[in-house]
Amino acid sequence: MTHRQARIGLVAGGLGTYWPQFPSLLPQLQESARYVSQRFQEMDTEVIDVGFISDAQEGAAAAEKLRRADCDLIVLFLTTYLTASMVLPIARRSNTPVLVIDLQPTEKMDHASFDTGAWLAYCGQCPVPEMGNTFRRAGIPFRSVSGWLRQESAWRRIGQWIRAAHVRAALRHARHGLMGHLYPGMLDVSTDLTLLPATFGSHVEVLEFDDLRQRVEQVTEAETKQRMDLAREIFTLDDTVREEDFAWGATVSVALDRLVDDFALDSLAYYHRGLDGEQHERLGAGMILGASLLTARGIPATGEYELRTTVAQLATQAVGAGGSFCELQALNFEDNVVEMGHDGPAHLAVSARDPLLRGLGVYHGKRGWGVSVEFDVRPGPVTLLGLGQDRDGSLSFIAAEGTVVPGPLLAIGNTTSRVDFGRDPGEWVDDWSASGVGHHWSLSLDHRAADYRAAASLLGIEFRQV
């Protein structure tokens, strides 16, 4: 499955009244606009550059082009002063979040040699408050980055919004698979299926375990062997792994790939309780290997019917930070760390070492048996991201930044980590639980709260940080 590349609309502009007054000004500004366009082209995005506008009529024409382009973010480059009437149609008609940038040519003016025309090339910040006021009065969220053309700190701030656009692109066009039924009693996990398409524009495909069963029956012995060979290249096999359970997990993995391809899924949440070893129970118990391989490919696949957490994982994946299925496990008050992880599918990109396949005769809290993935998360900065749902039905991104530190971990077929949040772990758990995050979340690499805050802004949802 290939996620749609983030589509960035770009328009630069200045006040056309200046061009006949200062003939050298427009060529200089257009050169700056070409540099900005090239920088965006280098950001792994599809850039829709509609050119340079000089008056309200050209602004309206650019607005129509960008409306048709269906962008994930529109960037307005204010090269010098221009009126709000030139850009409001772009923000209003496109139905797309807008980022205003003003990047003057260099760090400062040469006051001794500059005339009025040279100064106007540095006047991109002049209309920024005007745009902010106009956007506010029009009910349009205002975002801006001010700096100079080759200022890398400014480009890092711009890059944050581009990463946010990647999240918006992933969630707007996502097809989420939901297979099986809710883990009995987990009320926080239940999600109104209308919420995701209504909030993000995505689609939820309701599946049955029979959709998987039928594809499992079509897997050949050769395909199972090939998948087992692949797993041996990726995982270290513990002595507890039974050959027949390993083969079953590999067979289910092949079928899962076909299910994902046939339904063009970008994520999958699943659960089936089962009974006495019957076929559907065995399918549910055999998911972990295949779900972990799918998650490593950028297609989050999680158990316990956790639709919202697969959305969070898709968001963390979109910014290049991985994202593994996670819950609280225990607290260590001597080391001041929160231990967290999960049984079942995991994102291999966050592993500190070669992941282990461990055989389990019992899945705690679930029926069935088989192979499970075990590893510890690599030490260093991490960010948790959950997708909360409030009483009014609104969704929110909820994040926390911490640091994974080395130390003793359980060897029970789980992904595990020791996260230091720089405070008493019990107090942190109280605040995290009060945030509305729910039972599970995505654990991603590096400190990314600023990226997720920006993504929430583009998605039009609330952001909370603990």
Side-chain angles (χ1 to χ4, degrees), residues 107-363:
E107 298 98 317
K108 63 179 183 179
M109 295 186 293
D110 182 355
H111 296 77
S113 65
F114 271 33
D115 59 11
T116 301
W119 158 62
L120 286 172
Y122 283 70
C123 201
Q125 73 288 142
C126 175
V128 176
E130 177 179 340
M131 303 306 160
N133 176 270
T134 302
F135 278 37
R136 179 179 287 269
R137 292 165 68 181
I140 299 169
F142 179 74
R143 312 165 186 90
S144 68
V145 172
S146 300
W148 58 280
L149 199 59
R150 289 172 171 78
Q151 182 185 7
E152 289 307 312
S153 60
W155 280 103
R156 283 193 293 271
R157 290 156 60 202
I158 292 169
Q160 186 178 100
W161 290 107
I162 299 303
R163 290 189 294 275
H166 281 289
V167 175
R168 185 170 187 260
L171 299 195
R172 274 210 307 150
H173 300 278
R175 290 176 53 83
H176 303 289
L178 192 58
M179 184 170 69
H181 61 81
L182 184 72
Y183 187 102
M186 295 190 76
L187 301 181
D188 67 301
V189 171
S190 64
T191 302
D192 177 356
L193 301 191
T194 307
L195 272 183
L196 297 188
T199 304
F200 304 131
S202 50
H203 170 78
V204 179
E205 186 73 23
V206 176
L207 304 169
E208 298 179 354
F209 262 81
D210 286 323
D211 292 313
L212 179 61
R213 177 189 56 78
Q214 188 267 347
R215 288 164 176 80
V216 164
E217 293 170 354
Q218 296 175 356
V219 176
T220 66
E221 290 185 9
E223 289 172 323
T224 295
K225 181 181 182 303
Q226 186 177 31
R227 185 55 52 94
M228 293 170 74
D229 291 340
L230 173 64
R232 287 190 179 96
E233 294 176 6
I234 297 173
F235 298 91
T236 298
L237 267 65
D238 187 72
D239 292 341
T240 56
V241 173
R242 300 194 311 173
E243 188 72 9
E244 58 268 34
D245 293 340
F246 182 28
W248 176 246
T251 300
V252 174
S253 175
V254 174
L256 268 177
D257 284 0
R258 290 180 180 162
L259 182 79
V260 165
D261 290 342
D262 290 346
F263 287 95
L265 301 180
D266 295 288
S267 75
L268 176 66
Y270 65 90
Y271 178 75
H272 184 81
R273 180 168 54 187
L275 184 66
D276 295 336
E278 53 82 32
Q279 177 77 346
H280 295 86
E281 177 187 297
R282 295 294 294 128
L283 287 170
M287 294 281 289
I288 293 173
L289 172 60
S292 295
L293 292 175
L294 281 172
T295 303
R297 286 171 44 198
I299 303 170
T302 63
E304 299 182 14
Y305 215 58
E306 254 291 14
L307 175 60
R308 294 202 313 279
T309 299
T310 63
V311 176
Q313 288 177 275
L314 199 60
T316 59
Q317 178 78 30
V319 302
S324 202
F325 193 42
C326 215
E327 68 182 359
L328 297 175
Q329 292 180 323
L331 305 180
N332 184 323
F333 289 96
E334 287 188 359
D335 297 341
N336 278 331
V337 297
V338 179
E339 298 185 32
M340 60 180 66
H342 208 281
D343 64 319
H347 198 307
L348 308 183
V350 306
S351 179
R353 53 185 169 83
D354 288 343
L356 181 78
L357 276 185
R358 182 180 294 278
L360 296 179
V362 174
Y363 290 146

Side-chain angles (χ1 to χ4, degrees), residues 10 16 62 65 88 90 95 98 149-150 160 164 204 206 218 291 322 335 342 365 371 386 392 398 401 453 455 463:
L10 177 62
K65 293 177 183 177
L88 181 59
I90 295 171
N95 197 31
V98 172
L149 199 59
R150 289 172 171 78
Q160 186 178 100
V204 179
V206 176
Q218 296 175 356
D335 297 341
H342 208 281
V371 294
D392 63 0
I398 303 169
E401 293 182 338
R453 182 187 298 273
F463 177 83

